[in-house]
Amino acid sequence: MSHFPPYTSRVVPLLINDVDTDQIIPARFLKVTDKLGLGQNLFADWRYNADGSPKSDFMLNKPEHAGAEVLLAGDNFGCGSSREHAPWALRGFGFRAVISTSFADIFRSNALKNGLLSVTVDVAVHHELCVLLEENPKATVTIDLASQSLALPNGKQIIFPVDNFSKTCLLNGVDELGYLMQFTDRIFEFETLRR
Amino acid sequence: MNEPKTLFEKIWDSHVVAQEPDSPAVLYIDLHLVHEVTSPQAFDGLRKRALKVRRPDKTVATVDHSIPTLTPVLPIADPLAAKQIQQMERNASEFGIRLYGLDSPHRGIVHVIGPELGFTQPGMTIVCGDSHTSTHGAFGALAFGIGTSEVEHVLATQCLLQRKPKTFEVRVEGTLAQGVSAKDIILALLAKIGVGGGTGHVFEYCGSAIRSLSMEQRMTICNMSIEGGARAGMVAPDDVTFAYIANREYAPKGKAWEESPTHWRTLKTDEGARFDKTITIDANSLSPMITYGTNPGMGMAISDRVPDPARVSDTSQKLALEKSLKYMGLQPGQPLLGKPVDVVFIGSCTNSRISDLRQAAALLKDRKVAPNVRVLVVPGSQDVKRQAEAENLHRVFTDAGAEWREAGCSMCIAMNGDQLEPGQYAVSTSNRNFEGRQGKGGRTFLASPLTAAATAVTGKITDVRTLLKD
Ligand code: SF4
């Protein structure tokens, strides 16, 4: 069985460029020693009023987006701090994929390790999806990692890039540490040679 | 003849343990720095798999992010911070890792103590669960930030799976004018390329202006490489580098020391080597820089005016600028010079080393902090603190009316209680002006230690050159 079967979901648009990981999960929530419970503080400073009530105009709080598992983000999503708490918080909230025109390097790498797919699309597709969601905020997309395809609400199929290695790991549930441990002898050899 | 290589390629190539087709390289890591915030889940992962730390001798830990900077540091009022710090202590002792803990006279911000103690050396691969690991590239090392899963990978195997990044030459030629510093070079670069301009690349800083900088200034520049999206930034090592390293506690000694520079001198980009991208910056024309927005790429010369979103053609950039100015409470076209601020923060892994403190102190000497401002001076390490006190710099700061603190990240990340109040303005020598970075609702202008000190004196954003004249 695939660890990453195709799924269909509504989409929350958060069309801001350069969203940094300090916004995704503010630093004051990093004083944890586990990975759980971060979802409730996802985008905390944009999501809640000072009294802790949800801000009604923030995209994640809108009733039409409840339960959406896909985030549509602006350029360069996840820049700044390397905190893996960012994908933990996104996953904790229930997101399984982020669609954007570009991602920051460390964020993308952290995301894939936590089963959060970064789907890179070109500007035209990004724009098309924005327009479709404006027309119908409850419209859905279908994401299939195996065929690397994203189906837009109008049925259009987009192929998105994923490197083969990460794809295999995600589909087969292989963890990277397990892969790395297979190289133990080579690592030992490398250390011996350099001594 | 061998293909000419860049500095980056030389270090990369010599650290590849294995490279399977269609897979990332297995890259060997020479030095793994660890701190309390991004490591607990990694150690838990090791426990779950019953794994050891493969090379405790190549692993160095400290506590810096969530520690108080008040004297005395203990007890820690915040129970979560206290727990995180205890967890670091427990993990270090259980896994046999050297820890510069709360009781260590050498503790400090991880990117300050690594170089200071001589751990950071040319040609190394260095990682830490912290994006400002790029700092160590100033020594001609390949140093970059990683996530917590990768921290676990390195603890367990001393290796990382990495795809080879591209290279980006940042050439800075000329001489800096008085009042202009390394911080202004990097803020100027970021203003040019934006926060995503270096994504997928490693910067190599070169040119006459870089050569003339001290190691501490080079660290300031490499530190902020990540603010341009580049995971690493590096400077080829030279005599300035070797002189800095000599005699540090963990620097090579005796015969090893005599031999090291010979190898280190080969660590430079060969003539004819190609970079994927190149940019040139004219150091002669630089002014002190300041940011006006909510990312480090939103910067300008200090005497410029805040840009007008109406004049930005790209819609998403226009929106981003509008959103930033709204958060910052600034009007398009307004000058920042003369804008009153509430707080000045001198510290962080960008600008908390002894030369930064000396610069700030030279300006504050025989002057007073303006009555409307709170000034926090937070040394990068306890070693920096002691050195500053030996030079009586702490007296200059406290006589002027500034607070002199114990070492730590402090208001750079506002995890330890040192923070801005909602709406407050700060001039900060740190590296990030993201919304809420220095405290929820706080508004940050990033600048050099000189600009920060000048602003402390007048209470408003000030061009330090006006104070240097009299
Ligand atoms: S000083 Fe700031 S940027 Fe540097 S390591 Fe600490 S929190 Fe990170």
Side-chain angles (χ1 to χ4, degrees):
Chain A
M1 202 203 82
S2 165
H3 285 74
F4 219 93
Y7 61 95
T8 300
S9 165
R10 280 192 245 163
V11 183
V12 193
L14 187 67
L15 300 171
I16 302 165
N17 284 359
D18 304 316
V19 170
D20 56 81
T21 52
D22 272 90
Q23 306 317 312
I24 299 175
I25 181 85
R28 62 182 183 280
F29 302 116
L30 305 187
K31 285 177 264 186
V32 291
T33 47
D34 56 24
K35 304 177 183 179
L36 303 175
L38 289 163
Q40 71 189 54
N41 296 318
L42 176 71
F43 293 116
D45 290 348
W46 290 351
R47 196 166 140 204
Y48 301 113
N49 292 306
D51 65 359
S53 60
K55 284 187 185 169
S56 55
D57 61 345
F58 185 59
M59 280 299 180
L60 263 63
N61 294 332
K62 297 202 171 176
E64 63 268 33
H65 295 132
E69 294 176 326
V70 176
L71 183 72
L72 176 65
D75 293 346
N76 194 31
F77 186 75
C79 63
S81 156
S82 59
R83 60 190 70 166
E84 198 162 320
H85 307 67
W88 295 337
L90 286 159
R91 288 289 285 138
F93 182 82
F95 284 117
R96 300 168 72 178
V98 184
I99 305 175
S100 176
T101 46
S102 58
F103 293 88
D105 292 332
I106 306 180
F107 175 81
R108 183 207 299 274
S109 152
N110 285 339
L112 285 171
K113 290 181 179 61
N114 291 281
L116 180 72
L117 199 59
S118 50
V119 177
T120 309
V121 296
D122 64 27
V123 178
V125 170
H126 192 269
H127 181 73
E128 186 172 359
L129 184 51
C130 291
V131 172
L132 291 166
L133 290 172
E134 250 168 54
E135 286 166 15
N136 177 13
K138 293 186 171 179
T140 60
V141 296
T142 300
I143 294 178
D144 179 21
L145 175 60
S147 62
Q148 296 179 221
S149 67
L150 164 71
L152 299 185
N154 59 6
K156 197 176 199 178
Q157 293 275 341
I158 311 295
I159 303 296
F160 59 87
V162 186
D163 71 85
N164 267 333
F165 179 80
S166 305
K167 179 174 157 179
T168 313
C169 287
L170 284 172
L171 287 176
N172 302 328
V174 173
D175 81 296
E176 292 191 5
L177 180 51
Y179 174 85
L180 261 174
M181 307 269 304
Q182 296 170 12
F183 290 91
T184 305
D185 290 348
R186 304 269 294 270
I187 298 169
F188 186 74
E189 225 172 86
F190 182 89
E191 285 175 330
T192 320
L193 274 175
R194 288 177 98 215
R195 218 174 282 143
Chain B
M1 218 193 89
N2 289 339
E3 275 277 294
K5 284 185 180 180
T6 61
L7 167 61
F8 160 76
E9 286 163 333
K10 289 181 183 179
I11 301 179
W12 175 274
D13 291 351
S14 64
H15 287 82
V16 174
V17 172
Q19 171 79 72
E20 300 295 312
D22 217 12
S23 300
V26 177
L27 194 72
Y28 195 79
I29 302 303
D30 296 317
L31 175 64
H32 185 191
L33 303 165
V34 174
H35 68 67
E36 78 275 25
V37 176
T38 54
S39 67
Q41 298 85 353
F43 285 107
D44 278 350
L46 293 188
R47 270 187 211 103
K48 276 194 200 119
R49 296 182 196 235
L51 292 172
K52 290 199 177 91
V53 173
R54 182 182 173 86
R55 295 296 298 263
D57 58 321
K58 292 179 182 287
T59 312
V60 177
T62 190
V63 285
D64 52 5
H65 280 65
S66 53
I67 56 165
T69 55
L70 286 166
T71 317
V73 170
L74 291 170
I76 298 171
D78 179 345
L80 284 177
K83 185 176 168 217
Q84 207 170 45
I85 288 162
Q86 281 162 10
Q87 191 68 33
M88 185 70 256
E89 289 166 351
R90 186 185 141 206
N91 288 335
S93 79
E94 182 178 332
F95 289 93
I97 294 169
R98 189 188 290 116
L99 170 69
Y100 292 91
L102 278 182
D103 54 353
S104 164
H106 303 298
R107 72 172 170 83
I109 305 173
V110 63
H111 311 307
V112 175
I113 69 169
E116 191 169 74
L117 294 169
F119 288 113
T120 302
Q121 292 168 24
M124 282 183 162
T125 47
I126 302 175
V127 297
C128 174
D130 195 287
S131 62
H132 292 101
T133 310
S134 58
T135 312
H136 307 262
F139 291 79
L142 173 59
F144 54 91
I146 57 178
T148 299
S149 299
E150 291 175 318
V151 170
E152 186 182 341
H153 298 177
V154 179
L155 289 172
T157 67
Q158 205 57 33
C159 289
L160 259 187
L161 289 171
Q162 283 294 301
R163 262 158 228 297
K164 194 172 179 177
K166 295 184 178 142
T167 54
F168 193 145
E169 178 189 48
V170 180
R171 185 165 280 282
V172 191
E173 298 286 1
T175 314
L176 293 174
Q178 200 192 16
V180 184
S181 67
K183 183 66 163 283
D184 303 306
I185 295 181
I186 187 66
L187 288 174
L189 171 71
L190 298 170
K192 271 193 180 199
I193 66 168
V195 283
T199 302
H201 291 75
V202 166
F203 291 142
E204 182 181 338
Y205 301 98
C206 60
S208 57
I210 301 293
R211 283 286 139 236
S212 68
L213 296 178
S214 70
M215 281 319 294
E216 298 197 347
Q217 293 169 316
R218 293 178 192 181
M219 283 190 254
T220 297
I221 292 183
C222 289
N223 174 272
M224 289 187 76
S225 302
I226 182 65
E227 303 330 326
R231 286 182 82 169
M234 44 211 316
V235 175
D238 57 13
D239 289 333
V240 178
T241 322
F242 311 149
Y244 178 99
I245 298 173
N247 301 319
R248 295 201 178 252
E249 192 175 352
Y250 291 92
K253 297 276 155 57
K255 190 159 170 276
W257 171 253
E258 278 155 34
E259 286 167 1
S260 292
T262 315
H263 166 57
W264 290 346
R265 273 182 218 287
T266 66
L267 296 169
K268 56 174 190 217
T269 292
D270 296 330
E271 204 148 324
R274 277 197 48 253
F275 288 89
D276 297 292
K277 275 190 187 174
T278 294
I279 192 171
T280 304
I281 290 181
D282 173 19
N284 299 313
S285 66
L286 290 183
S287 311
M289 298 287 294
I290 193 156
T291 62
Y292 53 82
T294 53
N295 73 48
M298 293 180 169
M300 63 183 194
I302 198 161
S303 54
D304 282 355
R305 286 163 184 272
V306 171
D308 186 349
R311 301 171 84 164
V312 178
S313 53
D314 179 278
T315 327
S316 51
Q317 274 176 20
K318 182 198 295 254
L319 283 175
L321 182 55
E322 278 169 359
K323 186 173 185 300
S324 277
L325 297 189
K326 184 164 171 237
Y327 181 85
M328 292 296 291
L330 297 174
Q331 298 304 318
Q334 120 177 46
L336 285 186
L337 280 178
K339 170 142 191 88
V341 303
D342 307 289
V343 174
V344 168
F345 174 65
I346 299 176
S348 89
C349 56
T350 317
N351 283 122
S352 64
R353 297 181 180 84
I354 191 67
S355 60
D356 300 313
L357 301 188
R358 283 181 191 139
Q359 280 197 331
L363 211 107
L364 285 168
K365 195 167 167 49
D366 302 326
R367 289 189 168 110
K368 288 274 179 235
V369 163
N372 60 312
V373 225
R374 174 184 183 206
V375 179
L376 227 72
V377 186
V378 186
S381 70
Q382 295 299 85
D383 277 332
V384 171
K385 179 168 188 264
R386 267 192 308 279
Q387 177 62 33
E389 289 176 353
E391 297 175 24
N392 260 319
L393 303 185
H394 64 310
R395 289 265 169 270
V396 175
F397 293 127
T398 52
D399 288 352
E403 298 173 40
W404 175 244
R405 295 295 189 91
E406 304 287 328
C409 294
S410 179
M411 202 185 272
C412 170
I413 190 160
M415 283 182 74
N416 73 336
D418 300 341
Q419 63 189 58
L420 297 178
E421 298 303 320
Q424 278 192 325
Y425 283 105
V427 165
S428 175
T429 67
S430 56
N431 42 47
R432 285 183 175 147
N433 51 353
F434 297 147
E435 288 184 27
R437 169 78 179 190
Q438 297 195 282
K440 190 176 172 183
R443 302 185 276 199
T444 302
F445 300 109
L446 298 176
S448 70
L450 279 174
T451 301
T455 301
V457 169
T458 62
K460 29 193 208 261
I461 294 176
T462 298
D463 186 335
V464 65
R465 294 172 297 187
T466 58
L467 295 184
L468 293 173
K469 272 178 203 143
D470 47 60

Coordinates of all heavy atoms in Angstrom, one line a residue, chain B residues 363-373 375 395-402 453-459 467:
Chain B
L363 N 31.2 55.1 20.6 CA 30.2 56.1 20.3 C 29.5 56.6 21.6 O 29.1 57.8 21.7 CB 29.2 55.6 19.3 CG 28.7 56.8 18.5 CD1 29.3 56.7 17.1 CD2 27.2 56.9 18.4
L364 N 29.3 55.7 22.5 CA 28.5 56.0 23.7 C 29.4 56.7 24.8 O 28.8 57.2 25.7 CB 27.8 54.7 24.2 CG 26.6 54.3 23.5 CD1 26.2 52.9 23.9 CD2 25.4 55.2 23.6
K365 N 30.6 56.6 24.6 CA 31.5 57.1 25.6 C 31.3 58.6 25.8 O 31.2 59.3 24.9 CB 33.0 56.9 25.2 CG 34.0 57.0 26.3 CD 35.4 56.5 25.9 CE 36.4 56.9 26.9 NZ 36.2 56.7 28.3
D366 N 31.2 59.0 27.1 CA 30.9 60.4 27.5 C 29.6 60.9 26.9 O 29.4 62.1 26.8 CB 32.1 61.3 27.1 CG 33.4 60.8 27.7 OD1 33.3 60.3 28.9 OD2 34.4 61.0 27.1
R367 N 28.7 60.0 26.5 CA 27.4 60.4 26.1 C 26.4 59.7 26.9 O 26.7 58.8 27.6 CB 27.2 60.1 24.6 CG 28.0 60.9 23.6 CD 27.6 60.7 22.2 NE 28.1 61.6 21.2 CZ 29.0 61.3 20.3 NH1 29.5 60.1 20.2 NH2 29.4 62.3 19.5
K368 N 25.1 60.2 26.8 CA 24.0 59.5 27.5 C 23.0 59.0 26.5 O 22.8 59.6 25.5 CB 23.3 60.5 28.4 CG 24.2 61.0 29.6 CD 23.9 60.0 30.8 CE 24.8 60.4 32.0 NZ 25.7 59.4 32.5
V369 N 22.4 57.9 26.9 CA 21.3 57.3 26.2 C 20.1 58.3 26.3 O 19.9 58.8 27.4 CB 20.9 56.0 26.8 CG1 19.5 55.5 26.4 CG2 22.0 54.9 26.4
A370 N 19.4 58.6 25.2 CA 18.3 59.5 25.3 C 17.2 59.0 26.3 O 17.0 57.7 26.4 CB 17.7 59.7 23.9
P371 N 16.5 59.9 27.0 CA 15.6 59.4 28.0 C 14.4 58.6 27.5 O 13.9 57.7 28.3 CB 15.1 60.7 28.6 CG 15.6 61.8 27.8 CD 16.7 61.3 26.9
N372 N 14.1 58.7 26.3 CA 12.9 57.9 25.8 C 13.3 56.5 25.4 O 12.4 55.7 25.0 CB 12.3 58.6 24.6 CG 13.2 58.8 23.4 OD1 14.3 59.3 23.6 ND2 12.8 58.4 22.2
V373 N 14.5 56.1 25.4 CA 14.9 54.8 24.9 C 15.5 53.9 26.0 O 16.2 54.3 26.9 CB 16.1 54.9 23.9 CG1 15.8 54.0 22.7 CG2 16.5 56.2 23.5
V375 N 18.0 50.8 26.2 CA 19.1 50.2 25.5 C 19.6 48.9 26.1 O 19.9 48.9 27.3 CB 20.2 51.2 25.3 CG1 21.4 50.5 24.5 CG2 19.8 52.5 24.6
R395 N 31.2 49.6 31.7 CA 31.0 50.9 32.5 C 30.6 52.0 31.5 O 29.7 52.8 31.8 CB 32.3 51.4 33.1 CG 32.8 50.6 34.2 CD 32.3 51.2 35.6 NE 32.5 50.2 36.7 CZ 31.6 49.3 37.0 NH1 30.4 49.2 36.5 NH2 31.9 48.4 38.0
V396 N 31.1 52.0 30.3 CA 30.7 53.0 29.3 C 29.2 52.8 29.1 O 28.4 53.8 29.1 CB 31.5 52.8 28.0 CG1 30.9 53.7 26.9 CG2 33.0 53.0 28.2
F397 N 28.8 51.5 28.9 CA 27.4 51.3 28.6 C 26.5 51.7 29.8 O 25.5 52.4 29.6 CB 27.1 49.8 28.3 CG 27.8 49.4 27.0 CD1 28.6 48.3 26.9 CD2 27.5 50.1 25.8 CE1 29.2 47.9 25.7 CE2 28.1 49.7 24.6 CZ 28.9 48.6 24.5
T398 N 26.8 51.2 31.0 CA 26.0 51.5 32.1 C 26.0 53.0 32.5 O 25.0 53.5 32.8 CB 26.3 50.6 33.4 OG1 27.7 50.7 33.6 CG2 26.0 49.1 33.1
D399 N 27.2 53.6 32.4 CA 27.2 55.1 32.7 C 26.3 55.8 31.7 O 25.7 56.8 32.0 CB 28.7 55.6 32.5 CG 29.5 55.1 33.7 OD1 29.0 54.5 34.7 OD2 30.8 55.3 33.7
A400 N 26.3 55.3 30.5 CA 25.4 56.0 29.5 C 23.9 55.8 29.7 O 23.1 56.5 29.2 CB 25.8 55.6 28.1
G401 N 23.7 54.7 30.5 CA 22.2 54.4 30.8 C 21.7 53.2 30.1 O 20.5 53.0 30.0
A402 N 22.6 52.4 29.6 CA 22.2 51.2 28.9 C 22.3 50.0 29.9 O 22.9 50.1 30.9 CB 23.2 50.8 27.7
A453 N 24.0 52.5 18.1 CA 24.5 53.4 19.2 C 24.2 54.8 19.0 O 23.8 55.5 19.9 CB 26.1 53.2 19.3
A454 N 24.3 55.3 17.7 CA 23.9 56.7 17.4 C 22.4 56.9 17.7 O 22.1 58.0 18.3 CB 24.2 57.0 16.0
T455 N 21.6 55.9 17.4 CA 20.2 56.1 17.7 C 19.9 56.1 19.2 O 19.0 56.8 19.7 CB 19.4 54.9 17.0 OG1 19.7 55.0 15.6 CG2 17.9 55.0 17.2
A456 N 20.7 55.3 19.9 CA 20.5 55.3 21.4 C 20.8 56.7 22.0 O 20.1 57.1 22.9 CB 21.5 54.3 22.0
V457 N 21.8 57.4 21.4 CA 22.1 58.7 22.0 C 21.1 59.7 21.7 O 20.7 60.5 22.6 CB 23.5 59.1 21.4 CG1 23.8 60.6 21.7 CG2 24.6 58.2 21.9
T458 N 20.5 59.7 20.5 CA 19.6 60.8 20.1 C 18.1 60.4 20.4 O 17.2 61.2 20.4 CB 19.7 61.1 18.6 OG1 19.3 59.9 17.9 CG2 21.1 61.5 18.3
G459 N 17.9 59.1 20.5 CA 16.5 58.6 20.7 C 15.7 58.5 19.4 O 14.6 58.1 19.4
L467 N 27.3 62.1 14.0 CA 27.9 62.2 15.4 C 29.5 62.0 15.3 O 30.2 62.4 16.2 CB 27.3 61.1 16.3 CG 25.9 61.2 16.6 CD1 25.4 60.1 17.6 CD2 25.5 62.6 17.2

